[in-house]
Amino acid sequence: MDYMQEALDQAYLAQQHDEVPVGAVIVHNHTIIARSYNLVETTANPLAHAEILAIEQACVKLKTSRLLDCDLYITLEPCTMCAGAIAHARLRRIYFGAFDPKSGAIDHGVRFFNQPTCMHHPEIYGGLREQECQHLLQSFFMSKRCKF
C-alpha cells in the first residue's frame, strides 16, 4: 500500500473543505490506524493540524499515549507544534512530502529533533512524492491569491 498516497488523499479532502491541503496517516503493523487532514478553519481551532488529529486518533485506537511502533506519513514537513506532539507520542518514523522553509521544524527553522532538549528522536525521511505534495500546496495558495 502507498501510505503517502493515502496522506495525499487526505490532503485533497482538506482542499475540498477549503483547508490548507495537508494530510496525514499513521501506520501500525502495516495497517493505517488513523487518517486526518487539516481542520483549522472548519473547527476554528489552531491546533487542528493533520498530524495532531491523526495522533489523537491513533492513541485512542491503540489505547496508549505512546505510539512507539507507529509511523506517520504527512504531506508537509511538520511545524514546531506538530514536531513536539510527534516527540511526546514517541512515533517511530516520520515520512513527509514537501519541505517547508517558512514553518517547517524538522529540516528548517528550529530543527526540533536536533535539539539536545528533545526527548525523542524518530527516524525521519523527507521528500517523499515531494513535487506532488508541493504542487498541491502551491496551487491551493495560488487560487487564494487570485480571489483577491
Side-chain angles (χ1 to χ4, degrees):
M1 175 173 270
D2 185 348
Y3 301 123
M4 187 54 80
Q5 180 59 54
E6 295 292 324
L8 274 161
D9 291 346
Q10 291 296 302
Y12 285 111
L13 287 172
Q15 182 181 39
Q16 291 172 12
H17 290 94
D18 206 29
E19 294 278 355
V20 175
V22 176
V25 298
I26 294 181
V27 176
H28 180 254
N29 292 333
H30 308 289
T31 302
I32 294 175
I33 61 166
R35 289 179 165 83
S36 194
Y37 55 86
N38 276 1
L39 286 170
V40 172
E41 301 305 322
T42 301
T43 61
N45 179 356
L47 306 176
H49 287 201
E51 301 97 309
I52 301 288
L53 299 172
I55 288 169
E56 288 176 342
Q57 287 176 28
C59 288
V60 168
K61 174 102 177 170
L62 297 179
K63 297 181 174 131
T64 182
S65 63
R66 306 278 171 108
L67 302 175
L68 299 168
D69 297 323
C70 296
D71 302 330
L72 170 69
Y73 290 78
I74 182 79
T75 57
L76 181 65
E77 177 182 352
C79 69
T80 305
M81 174 181 72
C82 293
I86 289 164
H88 282 279
R90 308 294 198 273
L91 282 152
R92 176 177 54 189
R93 293 184 198 103
I94 310 305
Y95 299 91
F96 69 88
F99 291 87
D100 187 354
K102 288 175 88 174
S103 299
I106 293 179
D107 279 356
H108 297 89
V110 300
R111 297 177 191 265
F112 188 87
F113 297 112
N114 293 340
Q115 300 306 314
T117 55
C118 183
M119 78 293 273
H120 174 71
H121 303 273
E123 293 177 38
I124 299 167
Y125 303 93
L128 276 73
R129 299 186 66 174
E130 179 182 6
Q131 290 181 338
E132 187 174 356
C133 294
Q134 188 174 30
H135 176 73
L136 177 59
L137 287 157
Q138 288 173 338
S139 62
F140 174 80
F141 287 113
M142 183 68 75
S143 72
K144 291 290 183 194
R145 281 191 222 89
C146 292
K147 288 182 181 179
F148 293 105

